[in-house]
Amino acid sequence: MADGTAPDRAPDAAPRGLRALGPVGLVLAGGISVQFGGALAVSLMPRAGALGVVTLRLAVAAIVLMVICRPSLRGHSRADWGTVVVFGVTMAAMNGLFYQSVARIPLGPAVTLEVLGPLALSVLASRRALNLVWAGLALGGVFLLGGGGGFDGLDPVGVAFALSAGVMWAAYIVFSARTGRRFPQADGLALAMAVAAVVFFPLGVIESGDKLLNPTTIALGAAVAVLSSVLPYTLELLALRRLPASTFAVLMSLEPAIASVAGFLVLSQALSMTEAMAIALVIGASMGAVRTQIGRGKAKSLDA
């Protein structure tokens, strides 16, 4: 799962080792980090529970981002705070629903279903007839993923959670953009992450209780936070300094494939040929929708 879009400004300088990767390499490294972080989170769930893992991830990520960004709490309007609060609640819901999903179904199919949210947003925003083709490909992938449309091979509750997480991901994209316009650099992201951590904290305590105080659990939860939030945001920031947003969006469409590899290597979650074809269809639909949106933007620029 890509936890979000990167804040709108990057640091002035990047470490030489990261610069050597190139912008595409940075994006792919961020995607690998997110999905292997997700796989680590799944392995941590028997110890801390799904809600407990989300609580640790959000709390550690919030602390790190608040320390790094040191956002100002003054000078913001009521509308600014309303936007960041809604953004934080959306972030909490997206993570909670997704982790409930991967607790029930394999990581690859879960990310594939989740990515339908941003895909639907892209299709609706474009309003071009060609997007019906991409929507059809995506539906074909969902049909295959569900074992012929009935989701016989997947837990229906896990499927519902993944689709709901996709809706929240689409909402996340909308409120991430609004927050970025209202707050400088990554300040809005840091504040929203803090809101998400506060909102989710009671749920984690109710489910996991003092399990969250176990040093090993805390260490693993911190690793999940770094892999799934802190490191990907940093890599995406660096990449977006030299990479067009359109190319970035296409690369993000590869998330289901990366998730499938992470699920196989870390969790031994093998995919059937049908499931692999389903994921490929959804990836193709996502890439096609992004490219169509890019073409529409270029046509508007030429007409202007």
Side-chain angles (χ1 to χ4, degrees), residues 83 87 121 168-181:
T83 299
F87 183 29
L121 180 64
M168 288 297 102
W169 192 357
Y172 177 99
I173 292 170
V174 173
F175 284 102
S176 175
R178 293 181 182 179
T179 301
R181 288 192 293 267

Side-chain angles (χ1 to χ4, degrees), residues 268-294:
S268 300
Q269 295 176 342
L271 293 176
S272 67
M273 183 61 69
T274 302
E275 288 173 331
M277 290 176 60
I279 291 172
L281 284 175
V282 173
I283 291 173
S286 182
M287 286 185 170
V290 170
R291 298 303 300 176
T292 300
Q293 184 75 357
I294 295 167

Side-chain angles (χ1 to χ4, degrees), residues 201-227:
F201 184 76
L203 298 177
V205 171
I206 291 172
E207 181 183 75
S208 304
D210 58 5
K211 294 178 182 178
L212 297 178
L213 300 177
N214 181 281
T216 301
T217 301
I218 293 174
L220 291 173
V224 170
V226 171
L227 287 172

Side-chain angles (χ1 to χ4, degrees), residues 106-180:
L107 186 61
V111 175
T112 302
L113 292 169
E114 187 193 26
V115 83
L116 293 177
L119 173 59
L121 180 64
S122 178
V123 169
L124 292 174
S126 179
R127 298 180 182 178
R128 293 188 64 180
L130 182 58
N131 274 302
L132 294 176
V133 175
W134 310 130
L137 278 179
L139 289 175
V142 172
F143 184 85
L144 287 176
L145 197 60
F151 289 98
D152 300 326
L154 297 175
D155 184 333
V157 177
V159 169
F161 276 127
L163 293 174
S164 299
V167 174
M168 288 297 102
W169 192 357
Y172 177 99
I173 292 170
V174 173
F175 284 102
S176 175
R178 293 181 182 179
T179 301

Side-chain angles (χ1 to χ4, degrees), residues 1 41 45 50 53-54 57 95-103 224 228:
M1 173 187 67
M45 286 177 186
V53 173
V54 177
R57 171 183 171 176
N95 281 276
L97 291 167
F98 179 74
Y99 277 55
Q100 287 290 331
S101 173
V102 295
V224 170
S228 298

